[in-house]
Amino acid sequence: LTRNLESLSERGWKSTRCGGFTLIELMVTITLVAIVMGIGVPSYKNLVVKNRIQTQASEIRSSLAMARVEAIRRGLRVRVCPGESGCNDSTNWHGGWNSFVDRDNDNAREEAENETQLEVHISLDGGSTLTGTKHVIFKSDGTAADARTLNLCTADGDARHRRSIRISNVGRVRVCGPPAAGEPACDINCL
């Protein structure tokens, strides 16, 4: 048995060469990695942007739906406006938005009037823009004072990633975008 191991050991060392990559093998590997990255990176970037815009649209929708529920629960008007406190004449929501109980319907939140701040949202990330109306008002019965639309767009302006948040007169909030599986289509105008 030991004689067989010795002869195998001698043959093994003599018949094998040192391991490693040849220059051609290395070049082929690098080329394949470059091709895979060239295909994968743009797809990944598109996926990230699509997920970001869907998340932002859902966040806006949830905030508006919560404001509607609070209006019904409290039996008072609830106003949702761009900015971090009160309302102004701006139609740019991408810097953040807030919602509050507006007891005296004066477009301003006054603590002395017991107008409770419900939510404050910070600005949207990724360069997304949200534009539209000056404010959204939900009445005590859950209906909206007027039908309103907010347009959500990505920084790259790609039409496939645009979303529109629609608030109907009855207070229903829905998100629509380019025609896709399970999403209603709508016209979206971005700046």
Side-chain angles (χ1 to χ4, degrees):
L1 180 66
T2 55
R3 198 173 77 189
N4 287 342
L5 288 175
E6 287 174 5
S7 66
L8 180 63
S9 170
E10 286 176 17
R11 278 188 317 222
W13 282 105
K14 289 179 184 176
S15 66
T16 61
R17 59 180 199 198
C18 291
F21 291 108
T22 65
L23 183 59
I24 293 173
E25 291 171 334
L26 185 61
M27 295 289 283
V28 168
T29 303
I30 290 172
T31 303
L32 288 175
V33 167
I35 290 170
V36 169
M37 292 296 288
I39 294 169
V41 168
S43 297
Y44 180 73
K45 182 181 174 188
N46 186 39
L47 178 69
V48 168
V49 171
K50 182 180 175 186
N51 284 341
R52 179 185 299 131
I53 207 78
Q54 286 176 338
T55 301
Q56 290 171 345
S58 293
E59 183 179 338
I60 296 158
R61 182 187 174 283
S62 295
S63 182
L64 291 168
M66 188 279 308
R68 180 180 185 216
V69 167
E70 284 295 316
I72 295 169
R73 188 177 74 78
R74 293 172 185 259
L76 298 167
R77 283 179 174 256
V78 172
R79 190 176 299 266
V80 185
C81 304
E84 293 186 15
S85 65
C87 285
N88 53 36
D89 288 337
S90 176
T91 58
N92 295 327
W93 292 63
H94 45 270
W97 64 92
N98 72 93
S99 59
F100 60 94
V101 175
D102 192 10
R103 290 180 183 270
D104 55 8
N105 199 29
D106 67 348
N107 258 2
R109 186 177 89 77
E110 296 146 357
E111 297 209 19
E113 299 288 329
N114 198 22
E115 295 180 331
T116 308
Q117 183 87 41
L118 300 173
E119 270 189 311
V120 176
H121 284 269
I122 59 172
S123 60
L124 297 175
D125 62 345
S128 298
T129 59
L130 180 63
T131 57
T133 184
K134 293 180 183 179
H135 58 262
V136 177
I137 301 170
F138 292 103
K139 298 177 189 174
S140 61
D141 60 358
T143 60
D146 295 313
R148 304 291 181 157
T149 301
L150 298 172
N151 295 317
L152 180 61
C153 302
T154 57
D156 62 6
D158 190 343
R160 295 175 298 163
H161 300 135
R162 296 178 180 169
R163 299 290 181 269
S164 180
I165 295 89
R166 304 270 173 105
I167 303 101
S168 68
N169 286 334
V170 295
R172 180 175 179 231
V173 180
R174 73 179 188 135
V175 175
C176 57
E183 290 183 2
C186 60
D187 301 350
I188 303 168
N189 299 318
C190 293
L191 300 175

